[in-house]
Amino acid sequence: MFGKPANLFQRICNSLESKRGFQIPTSQRADYKSARTFAFLLLALLCSCSQKQDPIESLLSQMTIEEKCGQLSCPIGFNFYGKDSDSLWLAEDFIGMMDTMPLGSCWAVLRADPWSRKTVETGLHPRESARLLNMMQRHAVENTRLGIPLLFCEETPHGHMAVGTTVFPTGIGQASTWDWELLRQMGEVMGREVRLQGAQVGYGPVLDIARDPRWSRVEETLGEDPYLSGILGEHIVKGMQENVCATLKHLAAYGIPQGGHNAATADVGPNRLMMDYLPAFERAVKFGLAKSVMTSYNTIDGVPCSANKWLLQGVLRNSWNFKGVVFSDLNAVNAIYATQHVATDPTEAAALALKAGVDIDLGGYNYGAFLKEALQCGLVTEKDIDRAVRHVLQLKFNLGLFDNPYVDEALAEAEVGTEENAQLAKQVALESAVLLKNDDVLPFGEQIKKVAVIGPNADNMYNQLGDYTAPQDPDRIVTMLEGILEKGRAEVTYAKGCAVRDENDANIDEAVKIAKAADVVVMVVGGSSARDFKTSYEEMGAAIVDEHLSDMDCGEGYDRSTLKLLGKQEELIQRIYATGKPVVTVYIQGRPLDMNLAAVQSNALLTLWYPGMEGGSALADILWGDYNPAGRLPISIPRSVGQIPVYYSQPATGDYVEESAKPLYPFGYGLSYTQFEYSDLRVDELTERPGCFEVLCTVKNVGPCDGDEVVQLYVRDEVASIAPASNLLKGFQRVHINKGESKTVNFTVVPKVYSQEKGWHFEPGDFTIMVGGSSVEHISQTLTLR
C-alpha cells in the first residue's frame, strides 16, 4: 500500500479522509516533508485500520522481512558522512544501506578518537553533529518506504564521546564520590548533551563489578561492590533518562576475567553470579527503569553472554520484568562463531543470539542479512524476529521519534559543553579525590612559597581524561600543572622527569634539581588510557598492545600482568623522595596501581583516578584547602598482584608467607582534613516488617574544619545457608558536618541471601551491624532476627 514518500503521504491523506472523515488542508498536504505531520498522519492511519491493534503492531504488520531485519542492525556510523570546511554530506555507504535494508539504528556516528580517525578539526562540533543527524533522520523518514526514524547510539560512560562535550571523571572516580545525587546530576547533563546533538541512546553506565585490577577496563566501572554500583548506577540512569535511553554495560560478570584478560571467561557459579555480579544491573532495571542493556563479550560456564537464554530471558526479562532493548557489544554476535566457536557460521551465531534474547547487534550491518538467511534455513521464526523488532519500535515510540526525530541545531551549539557543565565536572572531580595519607603536609599553608610540580601526568591533558574520550581543545582542559599555576598561591616550577612508559624519555636530574629548590613537591605519576593515532586497534575497537610505545598502560585492551609503575617512574619517585623535601604524591590512574613506595615515603598521597577536564582545578583546590577531600575507595588497593583477587567482602583468610593478605588500602577508605567520631549506635527490629531492621548512629565532626563524611553501614550474617561474606555494604550516606557539630544518620536494612533453590529470601539468625568510615573501621552491634 506504500509508495515513495510524496505518494505515500498523498495516499495516507486520502485514506484518512475516506476512513475517518479527516479533512487535511492543501497547505498541510504540500508539507509532506514535515516529520511531525507525517508521523502523526501515519500513526493515525495505522490506528484507524484496527481498533484492536496498537500503532506498533500496525506498523509491524506492514513491514517486509528486509525492513524488520534492518531494524535489528546497528552498524558503526563514524564513516557515514563527509566533511569539508562548512559542508556536510551523507556517505554512499549509508545511502546504500538505507536503500537495501533500511537501518534501525547507527552507533558512534559522532565518535571522534584515533580509532575513528576523527580529530578536533575533522570531527564534528555540536552544531555540526546536530545538523548531520538531522540530515540522516530526514533521509530515513523521507527516502524509505515506511519512513521509520533512526536510533542514534553514542558512547557516554563519562560524558558524550564527541568533540566539544563535557568530560567528567571516569567511572571509578565517579564511584569514589559515594554521592548518588551528584551522579544523578552528572547523568542528566551527559544525557542532555547527547540528545541536543540528535542522538537518543547513551551507552552507560558500566555496572561490571571489578575485582581484578589487571583488567584493562576497571576505570569504566563503579568498583568492586554490587550495592555501591547499584545505587550509583540507578541514579546515573535516572539522570540520563530524563533525555535519552541509558544502556547498562555489560551483562554479565565481565569484570572478573580469568587472568585479567579483557573478554576472558568468567569463572563464577550461579549463586555468586546472582549475589555479586547481577544485583547492580537488577537495581538499575527495577528502580532506575533502564530502557536498554548491553551483553558482554565473555562466557559464563562456557555459554557466551550474547547467546545465554537463561541470562537474557530467564533473568533479565522474566525475573526482572525488563521491557527494553538488548544490544550485543560490538561484534559480540560474530564472536559466538569466530572466537568462542559455539556456532558453525555467522548465520547460526545470529540465530543463537536472537533466540537467546539479543535484539540489536551492535556494529553488525550483516546481522540483518544473517537473520534473513537463518529464517530461510529454519533456524529462527518470523515470530522470533518480530519479538525483537517490537522492542526496537517500542523504544522509538517511547523516545518520541515518531513525533519529532529532529533537533534544534542552534540549541546544540549553545548548550553543549557549557561552562556550567564544566563546573559540574569539577565538582565530581573534587568529590572523587581520595586522600590516602597525610602527615600534616596538606593543606598548604602560607609558609609554602615555592612548589615544584613533577611527573609524567602533571601536564598531559589526555592522560587525565581516560578511555572513551574524544580529541580535545586544550583551552577546555585544565591539567594538574595549569590548575596549580592558576591558583596563584606560590611560585611554581615544573619538570616532567620521565614518561609513563618510554624509558628513553626521561630527565630525572632536572626534576631532582627543581625539587631541591622548592618548599614542597607535587609529584604526579600513574598511568594513562590515552589512545594516539599510532595505536593499532582490533575490529571491536579495543587497543592492541604492540611495539608502539605510547603512555597508554590502561584502557580497553591494555591488560596488565603487574601493577608496577612503568617506565622510569619508580626511579623518579625514589630520587625525589631522597631529596628530603616534603612530597605530595598524586596518582592519575585507571586502575589501582602499586602504591607501596608512596605509602611509606610520601608525606601525602592522593588518587584522583582520571579526573576529567577540570582535574587540575580540583587538585589545586584540595592542595590549598579550598576544598576538604572526602572521596572513599570504591575498590581495594592491593599490595601486590599475588593478592588478586582482593576485595573487602571475601571470607577471612590467613596471611601469605611474604606479606599480609589484607589490601594496602581497603574498600571504603579515605581521609579528610578533619576527623569524625561515631557513637550511639542503635539497631531495632521493625516488627511491622519481619526480617527488616533500622539502624541509627550519631556522627560528630571532632576535627578542625567543616567536611563531608561518608557514613558506611555493613552487615555480616553470622550463619547462612550459602557461605556468607565477611561483611557486606548495605547502606551509605555522604553527609556534610560542620566543625563541632553532630548528625544522626539512619538506615533501613533488609538482609537477604540467594540460593538456586529458594531465590532471594530471608534467613533468621544473628547479624552483626557495623557503622563507620570504611569497611574496616567501625562500631558494631549484634542483632538476632527471628
Side-chain angles (χ1 to χ4, degrees):
M1 61 175 287
F2 296 107
K4 293 294 182 182
N7 293 334
L8 172 57
F9 186 87
Q10 182 66 46
R11 293 164 76 172
I12 288 174
C13 294
N14 294 339
S15 180
L16 285 171
E17 288 181 342
S18 63
K19 286 178 177 286
R20 293 298 187 194
F22 288 3
Q23 295 298 314
I24 301 168
T26 303
S27 60
Q28 205 166 347
R29 285 174 176 251
D31 188 25
Y32 70 88
K33 292 185 179 180
S34 166
R36 181 181 295 273
T37 304
F38 184 86
F40 168 77
L41 292 172
L42 176 59
L43 289 178
L45 173 61
L46 293 175
C47 291
S48 74
C49 296
S50 171
Q51 295 294 332
K52 296 180 181 179
Q53 283 189 306
D54 67 19
I56 294 171
E57 295 303 321
S58 298
L59 181 55
L60 189 61
S61 69
Q62 305 299 319
M63 297 173 71
T64 65
I65 192 62
E66 288 79 11
E67 289 164 336
K68 291 177 180 179
C69 291
Q71 287 297 304
L72 308 182
S73 298
C74 184
I76 300 169
F78 48 69
N79 291 321
F80 281 176
Y81 68 92
K83 176 185 175 182
D84 182 13
S85 186
D86 293 332
S87 299
L88 289 175
W89 61 91
L90 302 182
E92 290 300 320
D93 282 352
F94 169 73
I95 294 172
M97 290 180 186
M98 296 301 290
D99 288 344
T100 305
M101 184 180 284
L103 301 173
S105 53
C106 298
W107 171 68
V109 176
L110 306 182
R111 178 172 178 148
D113 70 337
W115 182 47
S116 65
R117 314 306 293 179
K118 298 293 193 297
T119 66
V120 173
E121 293 75 26
T122 61
L124 301 174
H125 291 258
R127 184 167 189 141
E128 294 173 316
S129 295
R131 180 180 163 201
L132 174 68
L133 296 196
N134 280 344
M135 291 168 60
M136 295 176 72
Q137 284 287 24
R138 192 166 289 110
H139 184 89
V141 169
E142 297 177 10
N143 293 283
T144 62
R145 191 176 73 93
L146 296 178
I148 300 173
L150 289 161
L151 276 178
F152 291 114
C153 310
E154 294 288 320
E155 295 291 349
T156 324
H158 59 113
H160 180 197
M161 191 183 179
V163 175
T165 60
T166 305
V167 185
F168 291 91
T170 57
I172 199 70
Q174 296 166 23
S176 296
T177 70
W178 293 60
D179 188 339
W180 63 74
E181 176 54 32
L182 178 66
L183 297 193
R184 188 205 62 76
Q185 295 174 39
M186 180 198 72
E188 194 278 327
V189 167
M190 294 193 306
R192 186 168 72 247
E193 290 196 345
V194 169
R195 194 64 184 259
L196 284 166
Q197 295 174 86
Q200 316 89 7
V201 179
Y203 285 168
V206 175
L207 299 184
D208 304 306
I209 304 305
R211 291 180 173 172
D212 192 331
R214 297 172 298 177
W215 181 46
S216 54
R217 303 187 72 174
V218 169
E219 69 182 84
E220 301 174 48
T221 75
L222 298 174
E224 72 181 40
D225 181 67
Y227 184 83
L228 177 65
S229 297
I231 294 290
L232 299 182
E234 169 197 342
H235 286 83
I236 294 171
V237 168
K238 285 180 176 177
M240 289 180 66
Q241 291 195 163
E242 291 184 28
N243 296 282
V244 298
C245 161
T247 302
L248 310 180
K249 299 167 66 172
H250 308 81
L251 200 65
Y254 187 39
I256 52 167
Q258 287 186 350
H261 290 293
N262 187 43
T265 190
D267 187 8
V268 60
N271 290 330
R272 286 299 170 200
L273 181 65
M274 293 297 292
M275 293 180 70
D276 289 4
Y277 302 105
L278 294 183
F281 289 90
E282 181 178 9
R283 186 171 192 96
V285 167
K286 289 185 175 179
F287 298 104
L289 302 179
K291 293 184 174 71
S292 66
V293 170
M294 180 182 290
T295 62
S296 54
Y297 287 120
N298 58 289
T299 63
I300 298 175
D301 197 24
V303 181
C305 290
S306 296
N308 194 323
K309 188 173 182 178
W310 170 82
L311 178 67
L312 301 182
Q313 294 197 41
V315 176
L316 178 62
R317 292 205 183 272
N318 298 339
S319 180
W320 299 350
N321 199 32
F322 176 70
K323 300 297 184 184
V325 169
V326 175
F327 291 89
S328 75
D329 205 338
L330 181 62
N331 292 324
V333 171
N334 185 64
I336 297 170
Y337 150 70
T339 61
Q340 293 162 336
H341 308 293
V342 174
T344 57
D345 55 40
T347 297
E348 185 183 5
L352 288 173
L354 181 73
K355 293 184 77 68
V358 171
D359 298 317
I360 295 177
D361 178 27
L362 176 59
Y365 172 65
N366 291 326
Y367 184 58
F370 292 142
L371 287 180
K372 182 179 177 182
E373 184 177 339
L375 176 64
Q376 294 168 345
C377 297
L379 297 176
V380 300
T381 66
E382 190 161 2
K383 185 178 180 180
D384 294 324
I385 294 172
D386 285 352
R387 181 193 66 241
V389 174
R390 192 176 289 112
H391 295 153
V392 176
L393 295 178
Q394 183 67 64
L395 178 59
K396 292 183 178 184
F397 273 90
N398 292 345
L399 289 168
L401 294 184
F402 286 94
D403 176 44
N404 180 18
Y406 306 116
V407 293
D408 186 328
E409 297 167 17
L411 208 58
E413 183 176 40
E415 296 188 10
V416 172
T418 64
E419 177 58 28
E420 180 182 3
N421 293 352
Q423 288 307 303
L424 181 62
K426 178 181 177 180
Q427 186 62 34
V428 179
L430 284 167
E431 294 196 23
S432 72
V434 185
L435 180 62
L436 298 170
K437 179 182 179 181
N438 186 19
D439 292 341
D440 295 326
V441 70
L442 292 177
F444 294 160
E446 294 298 324
Q447 77 278 10
I448 300 299
K449 305 295 184 182
K450 190 170 185 179
V451 178
V453 181
I454 294 169
N457 282 342
D459 194 35
N460 186 320
M461 70 174 186
Y462 285 112
N463 285 9
Q464 73 186 53
L465 300 181
D467 204 0
Y468 285 85
T469 299
Q472 300 294 317
D473 178 349
D475 292 340
R476 301 183 68 241
I477 310 300
V478 184
T479 68
M480 306 301 117
L481 175 64
E482 290 169 344
I484 292 170
L485 286 168
E486 290 172 6
K487 183 60 70 173
R489 302 275 186 90
E491 180 186 344
V492 178
T493 55
Y494 164 69
K496 180 179 177 180
C498 66
V500 171
R501 292 177 60 203
D502 189 349
E503 295 188 2
N504 295 316
D505 181 4
N507 189 343
I508 295 177
D509 289 343
E510 179 190 11
V512 170
K513 180 180 179 180
I514 70 166
K516 289 179 176 179
D519 296 322
V520 68
V521 177
V522 177
M523 184 160 51
V524 191
V525 295
S528 171
S529 295
R531 304 178 179 211
D532 65 23
F533 282 84
K534 295 180 181 179
T535 302
S536 301
Y537 300 96
E538 297 179 8
E539 187 180 3
M540 64 183 188
I544 297 174
V545 180
D546 56 21
E547 67 279 359
H548 171 55
L549 197 60
S550 68
D551 273 356
M552 189 175 182
D553 78 329
C554 191
E556 186 173 4
Y558 267 54
D559 307 313
R560 293 282 306 272
S561 64
T562 78
L563 299 177
K564 293 286 187 181
L565 290 172
L566 296 179
K568 291 191 173 183
Q569 290 187 86
E570 291 279 356
E571 179 183 346
L572 172 68
I573 62 177
Q574 288 175 333
R575 294 274 306 276
I576 298 301
Y577 292 150
T579 65
K581 292 291 183 175
V583 180
V584 178
T585 305
V586 180
Y587 273 69
I588 303 298
Q589 57 186 349
R591 55 159 63 89
L593 291 170
D594 187 328
M595 294 183 171
N596 290 286
L597 183 61
V600 174
Q601 296 197 25
S602 188
N603 300 94
L605 176 60
L606 282 156
T607 180
L608 268 64
W609 304 109
Y610 291 142
M613 64 189 300
E614 289 287 337
S617 298
L619 175 62
D621 281 0
I622 291 167
L623 293 177
W624 271 274
D626 296 327
Y627 183 82
N628 185 356
R632 300 292 184 263
L633 290 176
I635 189 169
S636 303
I637 306 292
R639 297 175 187 272
S640 70
V641 171
Q643 290 184 315
I644 295 172
V646 56
Y647 52 95
Y648 83 95
S649 57
Q650 286 173 306
T653 59
D655 287 337
Y656 295 100
V657 172
E658 301 92 340
E659 62 186 354
S660 168
K662 295 178 180 178
L664 182 65
Y665 293 109
F667 176 84
Y669 177 80
L671 302 175
S672 168
Y673 293 156
T674 190
Q675 296 84 41
F676 299 92
E677 184 179 87
Y678 286 74
S679 63
D680 303 326
L681 177 61
R682 177 178 171 182
V683 183
D684 296 313
E685 184 175 3
L686 299 177
T687 55
E688 69 277 12
R689 296 177 61 186
C692 181
F693 57 87
E694 183 179 41
V695 179
L696 294 93
C697 181
T698 299
V699 184
K700 184 177 182 179
N701 184 338
V702 297
C705 59
D706 301 343
D708 288 0
E709 171 69 334
V710 178
V711 183
Q712 302 166 43
L713 167 70
Y714 296 88
V715 175
R716 179 170 62 247
D717 191 345
E718 297 297 342
V719 178
S721 59
I722 300 296
S726 59
N727 57 349
L728 288 173
L729 182 70
K730 291 296 182 181
F732 64 91
Q733 293 182 36
R734 182 166 179 148
V735 294
H736 185 79
I737 307 177
N738 293 331
K739 179 178 65 173
E741 294 184 355
S742 300
K743 285 190 176 179
T744 299
V745 181
N746 66 289
F747 303 94
T748 300
V749 181
V750 183
K752 290 186 177 181
V753 65
Y754 179 87
S755 70
Q756 287 181 275
E757 293 76 19
K758 297 181 180 180
W760 286 104
H761 63 285
F762 165 71
E763 294 181 353
D766 294 336
F767 297 86
T768 300
I769 292 86
M770 298 156 278
V771 181
S774 79
S775 59
V776 297
E777 298 175 358
H778 36 64
I779 57 177
S780 64
Q781 184 174 323
T782 299
L783 173 72
T784 300
L785 294 176
R786 301 299 180 192

